[in-house]
Amino acid sequence: DGGITQSPKYLFRKEGQNVTLSCEQNLNHDAMYWYRQDPGQGLRLIYYSQIVNDFQKGDIAEGYSVSREKKESFPLTVTSAQKNPTAFYLCASWTGAGNTIYFGEGSWLTVV
Amino acid sequence: RKEVEQDPGPFNVPEGATVAFNCTYSNSASQSFFWYRQDCRKEPKLLMSVYSSGNEDGRFTAQLNRASQYISLLIRDSKLSDSATYLCVVNVYNQGGKLIFGQGTELSVKP
């Protein structure tokens, strides 16, 4: 079955360390997205990509970086510059107007 | 002004009640609209896409008003299992396919 796989599901990071969250999809979707969700809040867009080797900043891109070297993969790196990285991170993919947005199961990142 | 805004919650309603949520969007170039449901600590799940003509799925009805730039979701005969956070999602066509979520409206259905 097609879908999106995020890993790891739970991750603990020491302050000052970079960490990379994986997002892989086998849906053949062009568009992929990363969101951050804090407790009791909605999803805020970090980065998105419409095609391979191209991506755009979302509303809260500072302290994050992404790459899109393959259509199937859109990893997110949370850098040490991100001041408050503890959150729930969601990856999504989409094929365009009228179609369902697919989500991974999410990754919980905790800074210790 | 936020690009997508939802009714602030939470909504606490008894079983069997009818409840309506609204969501406004600021960019007139917005093209696709969705309602997603999110249970605590889980990924969002599609509830309904929202079409210009409006659409209904069982107890759920979604409407789009382009002139006033809002979408709505109506839930009839609320069930305990409807308790969740409801997220509206808007695709901004002229911003390279940006998908923007509202902050969510929490619904709690009580016996």
Side-chain angles (χ1 to χ4, degrees):
Chain A
D1 286 340
I4 299 182
T5 302
Q6 275 187 249
S7 63
K9 190 169 179 67
Y10 299 97
L11 184 61
F12 296 87
R13 189 196 91 175
K14 291 183 179 179
E15 280 194 38
Q17 288 182 338
N18 292 356
V19 64
T20 297
L21 307 179
S22 169
C23 179
E24 304 277 333
Q25 53 101 357
N26 60 2
L27 299 161
N28 200 33
H29 288 175
D30 287 312
M32 296 187 74
Y33 304 80
W34 273 106
Y35 294 90
R36 169 185 172 135
Q37 188 173 35
D38 292 284
Q41 298 193 31
L43 279 64
R44 292 186 290 166
L45 182 63
I46 305 173
Y47 269 98
Y48 61 111
S49 168
Q50 297 297 301
I51 57 172
V52 174
N53 293 322
D54 190 38
F55 47 83
Q56 290 78 39
K57 292 183 179 180
D59 301 316
I60 56 166
E62 186 175 350
Y64 299 97
S65 66
V66 292
S67 63
R68 188 84 187 276
E69 297 176 1
K70 298 186 299 181
K71 189 175 186 178
E72 303 80 20
S73 179
F74 191 41
L76 173 74
T77 297
V78 185
T79 75
S80 57
Q82 170 48 236
K83 299 303 180 190
N84 186 20
T86 295
F88 184 48
Y89 290 87
L90 281 160
C91 179
S93 73
W94 192 45
T95 193
N99 293 295
T100 303
I101 305 162
Y102 286 82
F103 285 90
E105 291 187 338
S107 297
W108 291 90
L109 172 62
T110 302
V111 174
V112 297
Chain B
R1 182 185 173 188
K2 289 183 180 177
E3 291 182 276
V4 178
E5 285 197 83
Q6 294 187 235
D7 287 335
F11 282 40
N12 297 303
V13 303
E15 268 188 293
T18 295
V19 61
F21 303 136
N22 285 317
C23 172
T24 59
Y25 58 95
S26 60
N27 193 322
S28 59
S30 299
Q31 186 181 51
S32 298
F33 308 88
F34 307 88
W35 283 103
Y36 270 72
R37 170 197 169 124
Q38 186 178 30
D39 294 289
C40 190
R41 302 169 75 91
K42 298 280 191 180
E43 73 276 21
K45 302 282 189 186
L46 178 67
L47 183 64
M48 301 177 77
S49 298
V50 187
Y51 304 115
S52 296
S53 56
N55 44 306
E56 186 173 312
D57 183 4
R59 298 181 293 109
F60 300 86
T61 301
Q63 297 281 348
L64 167 63
N65 186 318
R66 285 192 183 274
S68 300
Q69 295 184 194
Y70 76 86
I71 63 173
S72 64
L73 176 68
L74 183 75
I75 305 175
R76 291 180 297 278
D77 189 23
S78 299
K79 311 290 184 192
L80 297 176
S81 57
D82 293 334
S83 297
T85 296
Y86 291 82
L87 300 161
C88 70
V89 191
V90 174
N91 163 234
V92 185
Y93 179 70
N94 65 354
Q95 291 186 37
K98 194 175 181 181
L99 283 171
I100 304 172
F101 283 73
Q103 72 271 36
T105 302
E106 184 182 346
L107 172 66
S108 180
V109 181
K110 307 292 188 184

